[in-house]
Amino acid sequence: MSGDGVGVVLVIEHDPAVAELERRYLAREGFDVEIEADPARAPAAARRRRPDAVVLDLSTTALPVDLYRRVADVVRPAPVVAVTGPLDPMIGRALGDHRVERPFGPRVLVAAVAEALRAGAPAEAPGPLRAGRVALEPRDRAALVGDRRVALTVTEFDLLEFLMANPGRVFTREQLLDAAWGPGAGAGSRTVDVHVAQLRAKLGEGSPIRTVRGVGYVLDA
């Protein structure tokens, strides 16, 4: 949070006129607003400015889920309000709980930002997950095997977290793609195999991930 305002909102919007309109309406509600015009620079801008919330225009982005996930990972636990055009419902569900669809009035956006901040404020971070010698701490995205800390990429962590949250359940590669990459992310099923292999290599003999031939993968608790 900043100064006397109620929070810093980073607006990622390519159209200067729209960005200025959004800035004015958000500022009226006490938000400090910063603008980034280039969606390609959104993750870097979010990392640099550490906002309390992000308004992310995805209406002209070829891979909206990919950009959304990269920005959300940087600012977590701050919420991201996705601004979109009409989308396939499955892709829409991958863009989190806070989304507005063009065309919309500025007051709708302000209400969406306020609601996103209210919804996120009381949220309690999940507790640690364990499977054998492997432990995950979602709050600081730490992974350990015994006392050894393991460096995981964002996607590796998300994939392992999903499996550890659902021990004993067999998932197909397509289900794991949706869970860790998001529907419509453009990744193929071979991507799951590659990331599982990388996880196993990093976790070593302590890896709890087991292949179910002809189906997919399961985590043995």
Side-chain angles (χ1 to χ4, degrees):
M1 306 293 279
S2 71
D4 297 327
V6 295
V8 176
V9 178
L10 173 62
V11 173
I12 313 295
E13 171 56 61
H14 71 284
D15 186 323
V18 173
E20 175 58 20
L21 185 62
E22 293 174 350
R23 185 198 66 75
R24 289 207 313 266
Y25 272 79
L26 287 164
R28 287 178 188 174
E29 299 301 316
F31 293 105
D32 295 325
V33 183
E34 300 189 28
I35 307 292
E36 171 56 62
D38 186 355
R41 293 203 295 261
R47 183 177 295 107
R48 182 172 66 254
R49 299 172 187 180
R50 306 304 301 176
D52 296 289
V54 176
V55 174
L56 177 61
D57 176 23
L58 297 170
S59 60
T60 62
T61 303
L63 294 173
V65 174
D66 178 66
L67 180 58
Y68 174 87
R69 287 175 61 84
R70 287 193 290 135
V71 172
D73 282 336
V74 169
V75 300
R76 186 179 290 151
V80 177
V81 177
V83 176
T84 74
L87 289 174
D88 179 284
M90 290 189 67
I91 295 178
R93 286 194 292 272
L95 299 180
D97 298 325
H98 309 291
R99 181 163 62 91
V100 293
E101 185 174 307
R102 292 185 185 275
F104 60 87
R107 291 185 179 86
V108 172
L109 180 66
V110 172
V113 171
E115 172 58 28
L117 288 167
R118 281 195 300 269
E124 186 174 334
L129 299 170
R130 298 185 181 278
R133 299 183 64 239
V134 179
L136 286 188
E137 179 47 78
R139 286 175 297 181
D140 59 6
R141 295 181 70 81
L144 297 95
V145 178
D147 296 327
R148 175 174 63 92
R149 188 167 182 133
V150 180
L152 300 181
T153 67
V154 169
T155 303
E156 288 169 354
F157 189 97
D158 289 346
L159 180 58
L160 183 58
E161 181 182 21
F162 179 76
L163 286 167
M164 290 182 68
N166 298 276
R169 181 177 171 186
V170 178
F171 291 98
T172 67
R173 290 168 176 81
E174 290 71 23
Q175 288 173 320
L176 293 174
L177 277 172
D178 286 352
W181 282 262
S189 60
R190 174 61 180 158
T191 302
V192 176
D193 296 332
V194 171
H195 279 75
V196 168
Q198 291 170 177
L199 273 172
R200 284 170 166 165
K202 291 182 177 182
L203 298 177
E205 294 182 358
S207 173
I209 304 173
R210 176 167 56 87
T211 301
V212 180
R213 188 177 297 277
V215 182
Y217 298 96
V218 63
L219 185 129
D220 291 327

